[in-house]
Amino acid sequence: DGGITQSPKYLFRKEGQNVTLSCEQNLNHDAMYWYRQDPGQGLRLIYYSQIVNDFQKGDIAEGYSVSREKKESFPLTVTSAQKNPTAFYLCATFSSFRGYTFGSGTRLTVV
Amino acid sequence: AQTVTQSQPEMSVQEAETVTLSCTYDTSENNYYLFWYKQPPSRQMILVIRQEAYKQQNATENRFSVNFQKAAKSFSLKISDSQLGDTAMYFCAFMKLSYGQNFVFGPGTRLSVLP
């Protein structure tokens, strides 16, 4: 089955620490996205990539970084510059027919 | 820029009844898609239904149907024979077809199906 795998499901970060969230897809989709969701809120776009070795900032990119070295992978690093990183993070791929396909998400908590 | 509005933060419906969730959007685009996504307590985002703007016929998927009014920029979701498993957040989303970041989500409606 084609799909998107996000790992880990739960992640804990200490103050001042960088952490990386993994997103892998085998759907052969070119476009990949990272969204942040706060409790009771909608989705806000962090970064997106429409092709390998290229990515664009979304609405709330500050304190985050990404890379896109392979079509299948789009990891998100939450840096120490992100002052309020506790949230639910969703990775998605995009196709013009299906729209978004989402991963199962990563819950990040600062401890 | 496109915006998507969902004016009902929360709704409830009795099991087996019908409920309609509203969505309006603002765009100057002529070609676009509209989507409804469901997010149950598991937090997994699931595509419920999609509608192409060039199609006049309203999309249906089993118990889910939409009322797409292009001139009014309205895209409501009707859930018939509501089931307990329909309890979730529902997000309306707009997608333009031109290049670039092209997806906009509404703020969501929390639907509770009551036994």
Side-chain angles (χ1 to χ4, degrees), chain A residues 37 94 96-97 100 107, chain B residues 33 37 39 43 50 95:
Chain A
Q37 187 178 30
F94 173 79
S96 57
F97 178 72
Y100 276 161
R107 155 88 47 205
Chain B
Y33 290 150
Y37 284 90
Q39 189 180 40
R43 308 296 297 271
R50 66 192 289 270
M95 184 188 85

Side-chain angles (χ1 to χ4, degrees), chain A residues 2 10-12 14-15 32 35 38 41 43 45 51-52 61-62 69 86 92 103 108 110:
Chain A
Y10 300 95
L11 185 59
F12 298 90
K14 295 181 179 178
E15 294 280 353
M32 297 186 73
Y35 282 91
D38 292 284
Q41 303 293 316
L43 280 68
L45 181 65
I51 197 169
V52 175
E62 185 174 351
E69 298 176 0
T86 294
L108 174 63
V110 174

Side-chain angles (χ1 to χ4, degrees), chain B residues 99-114:
Chain B
Y99 181 81
Q101 175 16 48
N102 52 13
F103 231 86
V104 178
F105 285 90
T109 295
R110 183 175 301 280
L111 176 68
S112 298
V113 179
L114 307 174

Side-chain angles (χ1 to χ4, degrees), chain A residues 93-110:
Chain A
T93 66
F94 173 79
S95 71
S96 57
F97 178 72
R98 295 179 61 177
Y100 276 161
T101 301
F102 287 90
S104 56
T106 293
R107 155 88 47 205
L108 174 63
T109 304
V110 174

Side-chain angles (χ1 to χ4, degrees), chain B residues 22-84:
Chain B
S22 67
C23 173
T24 58
Y25 57 95
D26 186 26
T27 184
S28 58
E29 302 279 334
N30 191 48
N31 295 317
Y32 51 87
Y33 290 150
L34 294 162
F35 300 83
W36 278 98
Y37 284 90
K38 166 184 176 180
Q39 189 180 40
S42 68
R43 308 296 297 271
Q44 177 74 53
M45 292 284 282
I46 302 165
L47 176 64
V48 175
I49 200 164
R50 66 192 289 270
Q51 172 81 44
E52 294 89 336
Y54 65 86
K55 289 187 177 179
Q56 292 186 342
Q57 186 173 5
N58 290 323
T60 62
E61 285 289 342
N62 300 314
R63 298 183 294 107
F64 299 89
S65 62
V66 297
N67 183 4
F68 173 48
Q69 302 289 329
K70 190 174 184 179
K73 296 179 182 176
S74 171
F75 184 59
S76 61
L77 174 70
K78 185 171 81 171
I79 305 174
S80 304
D81 185 25
S82 296
Q83 301 175 0
L84 297 178

